Amino acid sequence: MADAFLFVSTNLNMIVFVSSVLTMILLWVFAISMLAAASIVVGLYLLFLAIAATTIECSQYVQRFICCPEGSIPYNCFQALLWLNLWKRGVFYLVAAVILVIMVFLNLWAIIMVVVLIWMGALHLYQWHLSRNEPDKNVEAGAGANSAPPVNPAASGYSGY
């Protein structure tokens, strides 16, 4: 059991990335299949979840590649999406799973999606818990005797332009 936690802790970013991609794919597939199977309400809810999850999960990667000046509309939109950090994403997935359980009972696709959403919520909450307990992030600058000086990117000689 300890080996499993060690494996998850060391490979957590990759596990979260793969799980988020699989969750997005499953949400889109199940939304389309529910809409085609005449379960319009559940299909629309899953379609809403697919759009929301895709937007939330892709925002952290898109913002790294888009150069937009501070204060612009795209910059503010991405900052609002990035506000949905680890624990807020975890709560989003858990609430979505609870609503899905209330909406649909004893449907195989819904049960699979509930398990996947609970898994994503737990992963994001676990990732948040680990990031809160990292000693580097909790030590303020100059607070500890062994704290290293802040990294100066200008000292590397690369200006970025």
Side-chain angles (χ1 to χ4, degrees):
M1 189 68 168
D3 292 335
F5 281 119
L6 181 63
F7 175 78
V8 169
S9 297
T10 55
N11 299 314
L12 187 62
N13 288 334
M14 182 57 69
I15 292 170
V16 169
F17 174 73
V18 170
S19 296
S20 66
V21 169
L22 289 176
T23 300
M24 288 184 293
I25 291 170
L26 286 175
L27 275 170
W28 283 105
V29 167
F30 292 159
I32 292 169
S33 68
M34 282 294 174
L35 286 171
S39 248
I40 301 297
V41 175
V42 177
L44 289 176
Y45 178 69
L46 286 174
L47 186 64
F48 165 75
L49 278 181
I51 292 169
T54 303
T55 304
I56 290 170
E57 293 298 330
C58 290
S59 67
Q60 60 187 342
Y61 302 110
V62 171
Q63 206 253 350
R64 295 180 187 169
F65 300 116
I66 295 180
C67 299
C68 32
E70 288 188 30
S72 67
I73 293 173
Y75 179 83
N76 292 336
C77 289
F78 284 120
Q79 291 305 315
L81 285 173
L82 291 176
W83 176 79
L84 289 168
N85 59 5
L86 301 174
W87 74 268
K88 294 171 192 152
R89 287 181 188 181
V91 170
F92 169 76
Y93 285 119
L94 292 177
V95 168
V98 168
I99 292 172
L100 193 59
V101 165
I102 292 170
M103 287 178 70
V104 195
F105 189 69
L106 296 178
N107 183 345
L108 178 64
W109 298 116
I111 292 171
I112 292 171
M113 276 319 307
V114 166
V115 170
V116 169
L117 291 172
I118 289 173
W119 170 253
M120 283 303 297
L123 272 178
H124 281 296
L125 291 175
Y126 184 63
Q127 190 177 24
W128 169 70
H129 173 71
L130 286 181
S131 69
R132 271 188 60 217
N133 293 328
E134 287 180 2
D136 296 330
K137 293 189 178 186
N138 289 334
V139 177
E140 295 180 15
N146 295 331
S147 63
V151 177
N152 182 0
S156 67
Y158 176 72
S159 67
Y161 295 104

